[in-house]
Amino acid sequence: MNAALLSLFAPLAGGLLLVLWRPARAGLALGVALVSLLAAAAALHQVADGTRQWLEVGGWAPPLAIRLQLTPLSALLLLFTAGLHLLVAVYAARRPHAIGGADFWPLACLLHAALAALWLSADLFNLYVTLELLGLAAVALVALAGEKAQRPALDYLLLSLAGSLAYLLGVAILYGRYGVLDLFLLGEQATADAPTRLALLLMTLGLMLKGALWPLHLWLPAAHSSAPAAVSALLSALVVKGPLYILWLLWTRLAPTELAVQAGPLLAGAGALALLAGGWAALRTPLLKSLVAYSTVAQLGYALLALGLAMHWQEPRLEAALWLFVVAHGLAKVSMFLAAGELQHTLGGKRVVTLKGASQTLPVTMFTFVTAGVSLIGLPPSGGFLAKWLLLQPLLERPQHWGWALAVVLGTLMSAAYVFRVVAHGFDRARPQPPQVRPDRFGQWLTLLPALLVFGLALIGERMLPWLEGVSR
Amino acid sequence: MAEGLFDLVLAGLLLMLAGGALYGRSLYTSILLFVTFGLVLALVWARLGAVDLALAEAAIGAGLTGALLFAALARQGRAPEGEFDLACRRRGLAAAAVLLPVLWLMLSSLAPLAERDSPLPELALAALPHSGVEHPVTAVLLNYRAWDTLLELAVLLLALLGARQLGSGRLDTARPWPQLRAWNAHLAPLLVLVGGFLLWRGSSAPGGAFQAGALLAAGVVSLRLAHLLPPLRWSFWPLRLLVLLGLALFLAVAAAGAWLGQGWLSYPAGWAKPLILAIEVAATLSIAASLSLLVVGERREPAP
């Protein structure tokens, strides 16, 4: 547990130090992310065999105080968060255009700390506080982009607060009903009565709003596409996963089974529609970053579909698919947003059509975009493919589930279409850009790294899939 | 009977003030009504027996939020009045259409909850002798659930960092009124005294860091408006240190506990009271600095 605490402590203390200490911020932030990464790796090593560790904060027993839990899944998410933060920090230190302002460094560190606190928490009210931290850090990061981002940032703030309030109201109702706030104690006591239903409904709606799950996703495209490139990468890859994690905790750990079985199809249906609606919007939008942002909406649909069906059928394989989606999407989306930022910065246009000839002027970046896109589509042998394979297996086993499989296939076709829309422009040699653009070599290859890691997931897939199925139980 | 009547009047007044704040003719009157709303709400909390909440509501909900709203109004240009009214009415109808059914739903399913008792208050009282303080609310905030409070301080810091990103809007204060300057000379020491009292009292009775910090911030704001203080600049590092002090000390105690002692945020035996007090003092200063920076801080930094 101490390793996990170090992984949380490092970014929190680092964030404070970065507020105070102005010079050489990038180096300090890199060091913080590295320490956090190593600590998270140690934490994962401790619990890799499926054990679960508890920490009673302050030494008080659970109903009175807060418990933190370290499960293999939360250790994996800690590692994932720290790794992506390190990567984005390296990129941001190299490419100052991608961060918007010097306040990026403390804010990114605090965002990292908020996520780490969220993965470790096992207390409903504490989760609310981490959600608030996460939301405020994300809004401040969006606002870094300057005047044009103020409107989306304000919308994001207001909707995020509305989501938090709905969640908090749900927490208050549960507290009124059961008198405890600890997630697992609640899980033992919960019965399917009217207050519990109402609380779960409110919390689910609030979390869906905060996590931009369809149909409450309308703030996401504007906020994610107007933020600086490094911020968009963090927001899409990590921030929206926080509420998703809480949603998963709620429905698999707290909610009575009969309620979860009832609510599953609703969430799965929202996920299926997210696939189609997000994909369609990504196909139609004229702007490059907006396309990538809508693709986040669509990809979150897979996760929601997996969650809903896992609840409905009580199927652990689907929970493993959910977390594999989260990891694969996070890695691919970091690459894609950084590549989009690089393309936009070098070619000087926001629209998809300005990419004409990009395969000649920025071959590596274009390659990155395509590699990440291949994982988003789910072509083998990427991590996206593994996740989709895991999702499809239980769907194909029985003919009455084929409708869901059809939605997944349609979503895949849509994502292929929007990725190829960008690729087609990139390889269009009709009007090549003037060749005097000077791409930054290191930055380009760095953006490729997470996309390659997604493909690396396939190499360890054989061992990872059974492990994931085990740990998400 | 008389008490029931008083409560009824309070509740009615609260609703009327809320309506007035939402549908006020100008933003200025709306803010005034909102501040009054906060004060009446503080009375309501006091009637419900939640004195801590009443203090917090009066200091933060009414006082500081009001000051923040006025500061925002002063920083903003003139809003187009006519359009505002129309949009406001339509939005109000939409909100009513959503909220009334929700309210109905909630009331019907929440009514039975009023009779239920939580085991937590008894547990909190039973553990009180080991918590280092005598007031249960302070024990919950700084001992049992100290991790929440630590993160809340980070929330305040993030709010400050976030507000900084919006930049530009300048707060031009008029030449201070001579009377304001004269009064401030007496008011400021008094506020420090009351703030310190609230802080100290927090260990045994309602009060604590947030309320005391808000009072201190009110003193700083009024001194700044009277031009008795220099502009508060973010680039001045001791000020940033002050903002971070509470969170940093809290975090240091937590980490020291995990490294050397029994665990994350566990106070060693016998040290609970002094540590809690030290954290509360640091947090009060930080809260005061953050809140005053939010209201009267200079947004624009001089070019380096």
Side-chain angles (χ1 to χ4, degrees), chain A residues 9 12 16 19-20 22 58-60 63 65 103 107 123 125-126 129 133 136 140 144 150 175 177 179 195 198, chain B residues 109 116 118 120 127 143-145 147-148 151 155 158 162 164-166 234 240-241 244 247 251 255 264-266:
Chain A
F9 173 78
L12 193 51
L16 298 190
V19 171
L20 193 63
R22 292 278 180 92
W60 301 98
D103 272 350
L107 284 172
D123 182 279
F125 186 77
N126 190 244
V129 180
L133 265 179
L136 275 175
L144 275 174
Q150 285 188 2
Y175 179 69
R177 171 69 181 77
L198 181 64
Chain B
S109 70
R116 283 178 187 274
S118 160
L120 282 191
N143 203 337
Y144 312 146
R145 298 187 69 93
W147 177 230
D148 279 343
L151 291 179
V155 168
L158 272 175
R164 255 176 57 71
Q165 307 314 323
L166 302 177
W234 183 248
R240 293 207 301 276
L241 183 64
L244 298 176
L247 190 51
L251 202 57
W264 187 252
L265 273 174
S266 303

Side-chain angles (χ1 to χ4, degrees), chain B residues 196-224:
Chain B
F197 172 69
L198 269 180
L199 174 64
W200 176 253
R201 229 173 87 91
S203 65
S204 57
F210 265 93
Q211 292 92 331
L215 264 187
L216 285 187
V220 173
V221 168
S222 90
L223 282 178
R224 174 71 196 114

Side-chain angles (χ1 to χ4, degrees), chain B residues 207-266:
Chain B
F210 265 93
Q211 292 92 331
L215 264 187
L216 285 187
V220 173
V221 168
S222 90
L223 282 178
R224 174 71 196 114
L225 289 181
H227 288 205
L228 291 170
L229 274 183
L232 305 178
R233 288 186 202 288
W234 183 248
S235 51
F236 183 52
W237 72 264
L239 189 60
R240 293 207 301 276
L241 183 64
L242 200 61
V243 166
L244 298 176
L245 192 63
L247 190 51
L249 182 66
F250 218 149
L251 202 57
V253 168
W259 192 22
L260 307 167
Q262 289 117 341
W264 187 252
L265 273 174
S266 303

Side-chain angles (χ1 to χ4, degrees), chain B residues 72-98:
Chain B
L73 189 64
R75 283 193 163 110
Q76 195 197 28
R78 196 152 282 280
E81 300 271 327
E83 283 174 47
F84 177 77
D85 269 357
L86 193 76
C88 208
R89 186 156 305 155
R90 206 174 293 160
R91 217 174 295 159
L93 279 178
V98 175

Side-chain angles (χ1 to χ4, degrees), chain B residues 60-232:
Chain B
I60 299 166
L64 251 147
T65 315
L68 268 178
L69 288 174
F70 275 124
L73 189 64
R75 283 193 163 110
Q76 195 197 28
R78 196 152 282 280
E81 300 271 327
E83 283 174 47
F84 177 77
D85 269 357
L86 193 76
C88 208
R89 186 156 305 155
R90 206 174 293 160
R91 217 174 295 159
L93 279 178
V98 175
L99 288 181
L100 283 180
V102 172
L103 197 67
W104 175 247
L105 208 91
M106 300 223 324
L107 281 181
S108 58
S109 70
L110 292 189
L113 294 189
E115 285 110 52
R116 283 178 187 274
D117 280 327
S118 160
L120 282 191
E122 277 173 32
L123 279 175
L125 284 176
L128 204 54
H130 308 288
S131 70
V133 290
E134 287 104 60
H135 186 49
V137 174
T138 311
V140 170
L141 287 180
L142 282 142
N143 203 337
Y144 312 146
R145 298 187 69 93
W147 177 230
D148 279 343
T149 313
L150 196 162
L151 291 179
E152 290 286 359
L153 286 176
V155 168
L156 190 62
L157 174 68
L158 272 175
L160 187 58
L161 284 176
R164 255 176 57 71
Q165 307 314 323
L166 302 177
S168 71
R170 239 187 102 73
L171 182 63
D172 289 314
T173 45
R175 261 178 63 83
W177 215 21
Q179 208 166 0
L180 183 68
R181 295 184 73 118
W183 274 45
N184 256 305
H186 300 286
L187 200 60
L190 205 63
L191 278 173
V192 173
L193 202 67
V194 177
F197 172 69
L198 269 180
L199 174 64
W200 176 253
R201 229 173 87 91
S203 65
S204 57
F210 265 93
Q211 292 92 331
L215 264 187
L216 285 187
V220 173
V221 168
S222 90
L223 282 178
R224 174 71 196 114
L225 289 181
H227 288 205
L228 291 170
L229 274 183
L232 305 178

Side-chain angles (χ1 to χ4, degrees), chain B residues 21-67:
Chain B
L22 282 177
Y23 294 103
R25 209 154 271 228
S26 70
L27 284 175
Y28 183 79
T29 43
S30 286
I31 297 175
L32 272 184
L33 286 172
F34 178 78
V35 172
T36 329
F37 170 82
L39 290 174
V40 175
L41 189 57
L43 275 182
V44 170
W45 285 124
R47 286 287 305 153
L48 287 170
V51 186
D52 285 274
L53 273 182
L55 274 174
E57 179 65 43
I60 299 166
L64 251 147
T65 315

